[in-house]
Amino acid sequence: MRKLVYYVAVTLDGFIAAPDGSFDFFRPGTDYTDLIREHFPETLPAPALEAFGIGPEVANVKFDTVVSGRATYEVGASVGLTDQYPRLRQYVVSSTMGASPDPAVTLIADDPVGAIRELKREEGLDIYLCGGAALARTLAEEIDELVLKINPVAVGAGIPLFGGDFAPRRFRLTDVKAGETVSIQTYERTGEAR
């Protein structure tokens, strides 16, 4: 069965964005670029593929599907980027969009948990949960793995990795890819009770 993987940049104190949703305070260096090019090339949005030198001959490494919440999707859509991840099957979870904004994007208007369970049963590579925190909270019990791009910055407040009520979830560290400006840490859900 495929895994749902929450793959996201995060601060040292556990935030994925500023209170207003911006994330321009993340300033990874070329080590980050090298790590992404080698291990997660398919996670780059369309404009970054060419800039990173990733052509169609480069195979997807970990993911073949991406799922985003409406607010996360709208970051790119607001500047005209509606087919954001051309190397992946794209899904947007929203009960307010009404229709898919692009032929390459499938809208999940209701029951995101059921939709993710169906996707997990399919053959293929893993499913990239792009964010944001509200969708991660909704899908928390379906998340099998965390891949955290930990940036060496603390911000004190903002949008947390998971929002919502106090609900401990246990994960086990399985891999670390360390660069000078970012550390990519992979955690697997343990299945332990809270």
Side-chain angles (χ1 to χ4, degrees):
M1 186 184 307
R2 304 197 302 164
K3 293 182 287 189
L4 179 63
V5 180
Y6 190 15
Y7 169 84
V8 64
V10 64
T11 65
L12 291 172
D13 49 352
F15 296 100
I16 62 171
D20 66 359
S22 65
F23 45 86
D24 56 351
F25 54 86
F26 289 124
R27 295 195 182 116
T30 57
D31 60 313
Y32 172 77
T33 305
D34 294 340
L35 287 168
I36 300 306
R37 186 183 295 117
E38 181 179 353
H39 301 286
F40 306 98
E42 65 274 17
T43 64
L44 293 168
L49 291 171
E50 186 175 332
F52 279 52
I54 298 170
E57 73 285 354
V58 176
N60 288 8
V61 175
K62 184 156 180 70
F63 304 110
D64 64 10
T65 303
V66 61
V67 178
S68 302
R70 180 198 46 79
T72 299
Y73 177 79
E74 285 181 350
V75 170
S78 68
V79 294
L81 187 60
T82 58
D83 183 3
Q84 297 174 5
Y85 298 96
R87 298 173 59 100
L88 304 172
R89 288 174 43 205
Q90 301 171 68
Y91 293 84
V92 174
V93 176
S94 173
S95 60
T96 60
M97 286 177 86
S100 173
D102 190 283
V105 175
T106 300
L107 184 64
I108 299 172
D110 54 45
D111 192 17
V113 171
I116 292 301
R117 288 178 178 164
E118 285 182 33
L119 288 172
K120 287 170 78 171
R121 284 191 289 269
E122 295 176 355
E123 294 292 321
L125 298 176
D126 289 335
I127 304 160
Y128 164 25
L129 175 56
C130 185
L135 183 56
R137 179 177 54 249
T138 298
L139 298 174
E141 298 309 314
E142 296 302 317
I143 295 173
D144 303 295
E145 192 173 88
L146 301 173
V147 177
L148 305 179
K149 300 174 282 184
I150 301 173
N151 286 254
V153 60
V155 295
I159 298 173
L161 181 65
F162 289 94
D165 298 328
F166 180 78
R169 295 173 183 90
R170 305 263 180 221
F171 291 85
R172 176 178 63 88
L173 181 66
T174 59
D175 187 55
V176 176
K177 295 171 180 33
E180 292 178 25
T181 64
V182 70
S183 169
I184 300 178
Q185 298 182 4
T186 301
Y187 294 85
E188 179 181 88
R189 189 179 196 108
T190 65
E192 279 182 50
R194 295 178 187 188

